[in-house]
Amino acid sequence: ATIAQLSKSTATKKLSEPQQLDFADRVLASGDLRAPRGREVVNFVSKLAPAKAAAMWPKVFVMKESADDNTPNQFKDAKDVVSLIELCSKSGIEFPDLSASIVPLNAISKLAKSDLPSARVLAVEVMQERSLGKEGETSELLAELKEDSCSMVRLAASVFAA
């Protein structure tokens, strides 16, 4: 049975929240979490413990499609980054500390326009790591971030732009 089926079943509803989270941990530990299974686990956990789900995000969405896949480990789609931003914003939890190398380029603008300062700092870090920000859309985003309401974001953008 999948986590989605179990989350709808009466058997799972009889479990306490800690038991449900323990069940989700065991599913995570079982191995293959490529979509859609990993997405089901994170969605299930996000309803019970949003901070725990946010911490799971990189483990679930940052992976190779197969053992033969030579592409670098990174989020496969900006929608996963957007979902993480939405989860953190809606739940009032801290955006997890992510490496800039795992963020796809098409997620930079989503991070930069986020209401979460740590996500906006990550946008600057992605631009810096990939040597972006000097022209085009990323230069406009960098200019906006240099004027950000959060001093941490302004500082990161200003240091990179210098």
Side-chain angles (χ1 to χ4, degrees), residues 78 81-82 85 89 95 103-128 132-133 136-150 153-154 156-157 160:
V81 177
V82 170
I85 291 168
S89 293
F95 191 78
V103 177
L105 292 176
N106 61 350
I108 294 173
S109 65
K110 304 294 186 195
L111 290 165
K113 294 175 192 269
S114 167
D115 61 339
L116 303 167
S118 52
R120 297 194 304 273
V121 168
L122 180 58
V124 174
E125 291 171 356
V126 172
M127 287 186 254
Q128 185 174 18
L132 303 170
E137 180 189 1
T138 53
S139 69
E140 294 169 17
L141 290 173
L142 187 59
E144 289 173 23
L145 293 170
K146 284 170 54 178
E147 303 296 322
D148 198 270
S149 61
C150 175
V153 176
R154 280 195 315 271
F160 171 56

Side-chain angles (χ1 to χ4, degrees), residues 48-109:
L48 301 172
K52 185 175 184 101
M56 289 177 172
W57 228 264
K59 295 175 196 161
V60 173
F61 295 110
V62 182
M63 59 176 44
K64 295 182 182 297
E65 291 300 318
S66 70
D68 303 342
D69 189 351
N70 292 323
T71 59
N73 282 351
Q74 68 175 219
F75 286 100
K76 297 297 180 195
D77 195 326
K79 73 180 178 185
D80 294 325
V81 177
V82 170
S83 296
L84 178 57
I85 291 168
E86 289 171 353
L87 172 67
C88 293
S89 293
K90 184 176 81 173
S91 304
I93 57 175
E94 191 67 33
F95 191 78
D97 187 23
L98 301 176
S99 168
S101 64
I102 68 172
V103 177
L105 292 176
N106 61 350
I108 294 173
S109 65

